[in-house]
Every structure is written in C-alpha cells, then in structure tokens.
Amino acid sequence: MRFKLASFIRLFVLLYIIASCHSVEVTYLQDIDEVNNLSDTKKIQKNTTKIKTGDELVIMVSAEDRDVVKPFNQNYSSGEIIRNTVNSGNVQPTVDSTPAPTYIVDSNGNIDFPTLGNIKASGLTTEGLKDNLHKILSRYIREPLVSVRLRNFKVSVLGEVKQPGEYTLYEGNGTVLRAIALAGDLTMYGKREDVLLLRKEGNGDLRKTRLDLTKSDFLFSPYYNLQQGDIIYISPNKVQQKNAKRDPNLGIYVSLATVLISVLTLLRIK
C-alpha cells in the first residue's frame, strides 16, 4: 500500500512538471539577416513627432561669441539658471545635469522666446522649429547653433515586461525597442509576436496597431518611432494564461507531495 501511494505521488509530480514545461519563443527579429536585401524604398521611417500645446521644449542657442547669444538664452548664464530674473512665466529650469531654459508651448501654439517674442511651435517637429529659429537668429548672430528637444516625451510600457511604467525618452530616440529596453525587456511569458500599441491622434481618436517583434517588418512601420503619450501593452502568452488559471496553492501541494514521498521512502527502507 505504501509502495502504491508513493508511486502515485511520484507520477503526479512527474505529470505536473511535464505539464509546466513549454517551449517559449523569445527571439526578436528572426529574419533580420534578410533586411539588407530589401528594396531601397523600404527604409526605417523618420521620426515625425509634432510639437503640441503644453509641450516642454529645451532650447539652447550658442555661437562662437558667447556674449552675442546671451539675449537669446534668457535666464541662462555661465551654465546656471538665474532664478531671480524669471519674468515671462514660461521659462523653467530643467532637472537635467546641465541646466537650461524650458519653454512651455502656450494655448496658441507659441513659445515666448527671449528678444524674439512669440514663436510658432505647435504643429512643427523639433527639427522644423530648430530650422525656423536658425533662420531668424541668423539675422542677429553669425553662424548660430540651435538645439531643440522635447523634455516631456513620455510613453507607457505595460503588461509582461520586467519593469512596467511610464518612461521619459529623448525625442529622436523614442522607438519601440528603446522603450522596451527601458522597461527591462519582456518577460519570457510576453507575447512577442502580438504587441499592442495605442496612439492618440491629433483629432482625439485612439488608434491601435499590433506589431510582431519576431519579424523585421515592424522596423519599417510608422509605429516603430513612438509618439508622445503612446502606450505599449505586452499581453501574456498561452503559458502564462494557463498559469494564471491554476490554483495558486498548487505549488505548495506539489512541495508537500515531494516531502511525503521522501518520508514514505525512508519508512519503506526501514
């Protein structure tokens, strides 16, 4: 009787282990070696993130003659914010290691730029605004250098990733792979061939698309480069879905069964 019971428990544990073992595909871009053979017309699309009302823009102007650019870098001097001269109400220090003025795009789509006044920003890309500022500043400064970046470029990564949450990305590096990397990569139970991306369009509509990270085609999708506010959701694969439906105490039962087998074996030996 003891032998039969021990054999039964051994069989139960063995079947549980077999049922728990599933092959999981975790490889990205499985056909990446074929990308070089694709047509030249099929290229990774350029990031075209448009500036919107409420966006925070970090803008810096520099040139060989630093004194000349000072009027165009209000509240910024010798690498430090001069806090007691804030008067426009839309210039704030950044939290970056190098302080710089941050301009808030107002309800009219403009930024209040030092000396130049209102400059249209909404609807432009950061590159477009950079080019416009360069043209205007060239009237006053010889060979000006202008840098423009979004400070509040945020996306959310949810579901089967190691560190779900909201992440701030430097505009221009906001890609699907970059966001997933910041979230610590997918868990082994994440469904890599069916990643859901949600995007709010300019008219307020919510658009959704699904990406297959195991194939290189998603690199050429207009959704590969993220837009501000995008949400990436990684759904669980079938293995994880089955695990979620199991009795959460099943692991405890198996452990107890293993202990019982050991006890019965010892008793049998005696």
Side-chain angles (χ1 to χ4, degrees):
M1 180 67 181
R2 291 175 183 172
F3 175 75
K4 289 183 178 180
L5 180 59
S7 299
F8 173 77
I9 295 176
R10 286 195 188 96
L11 179 61
F12 172 77
V13 173
L14 179 62
L15 291 175
Y16 172 78
I17 293 174
I18 293 174
S20 301
C21 295
H22 297 272
S23 61
V24 179
E25 182 58 67
V26 296
T27 306
Y28 298 100
L29 305 172
Q30 296 174 20
D31 60 345
I32 191 63
D33 290 337
E34 301 173 14
V35 170
N36 292 333
N37 298 324
L38 294 174
S39 170
D40 290 338
T41 60
K42 191 174 183 180
K43 297 179 180 179
I44 296 177
Q45 300 191 26
K46 187 177 180 181
N47 195 341
T48 56
T49 301
K50 299 293 181 67
I51 298 170
K52 302 186 295 295
T53 296
D55 277 348
E56 302 173 17
L57 301 172
V58 175
I59 304 175
M60 287 299 303
V61 181
S62 59
E64 186 174 349
D65 188 343
R66 295 185 179 182
D67 290 333
V68 174
V69 300
K70 281 183 179 179
F72 304 99
N73 283 320
Q74 186 173 331
N75 305 317
Y76 184 82
S77 176
S78 300
E80 295 182 353
I81 298 293
I82 304 177
R83 300 179 185 277
N84 60 0
T85 60
V86 176
N87 52 30
S88 64
N90 73 334
V91 180
Q92 302 175 354
T94 72
V95 295
D96 297 333
S97 58
T98 303
T102 300
Y103 300 86
I104 310 300
V105 182
D106 64 23
S107 58
N108 296 318
N110 300 321
I111 56 173
D112 186 2
F113 202 79
T115 306
L116 302 180
N118 286 333
I119 299 293
K120 185 68 175 179
S122 180
L124 299 174
T125 64
T126 53
E127 283 297 320
L129 178 59
K130 175 182 173 181
D131 291 341
N132 286 354
L133 286 173
H134 185 273
K135 291 177 183 177
I136 298 173
L137 290 169
S138 294
R139 304 172 190 169
Y140 310 96
I141 305 171
R142 182 179 179 182
E143 298 181 357
L145 297 175
V146 183
S147 66
V148 180
R149 71 174 178 85
L150 275 171
R151 182 190 174 199
N152 61 320
F153 190 93
K154 297 180 179 180
V155 298
S156 298
V157 187
L158 308 173
E160 285 293 332
V161 291
K162 295 176 182 176
Q163 298 175 6
E166 185 179 71
Y167 293 89
T168 300
L169 303 171
Y170 285 109
E171 193 274 329
N173 290 317
T175 66
V176 171
L177 291 179
R178 172 67 174 163
I180 289 176
L182 289 174
D185 200 2
L186 278 66
T187 68
M188 66 179 297
Y189 298 112
K191 192 180 291 186
R192 288 158 173 76
E193 70 281 1
D194 189 22
V195 173
L196 175 64
L197 190 146
L198 300 175
R199 174 172 296 173
K200 190 173 183 180
E201 303 290 350
N203 57 7
D205 292 341
L206 188 65
R207 184 179 294 274
K208 65 178 182 179
T209 190
R210 294 186 180 275
L211 304 172
D212 184 352
L213 304 187
T214 66
K215 303 293 177 55
S216 61
D217 281 351
F218 86 95
L219 295 174
F220 310 99
S221 165
Y223 294 91
Y224 174 64
N225 285 297
L226 298 175
Q227 300 286 334
Q228 186 178 324
D230 280 356
I231 300 173
I232 300 172
Y233 175 71
I234 312 297
S235 56
N237 59 21
K238 292 181 179 179
V239 175
Q240 184 69 338
Q241 290 175 5
K242 288 180 180 179
N243 289 339
K245 294 178 181 179
R246 288 176 179 158
D247 187 338
N249 296 318
L250 187 57
I252 298 176
Y253 300 152
V254 173
S255 299
L256 291 175
T258 303
V259 173
L260 183 58
I261 290 174
S262 301
V263 172
L264 290 174
T265 302
L266 290 174
L267 291 175
R268 186 184 175 199
I269 293 174
K270 292 180 179 180

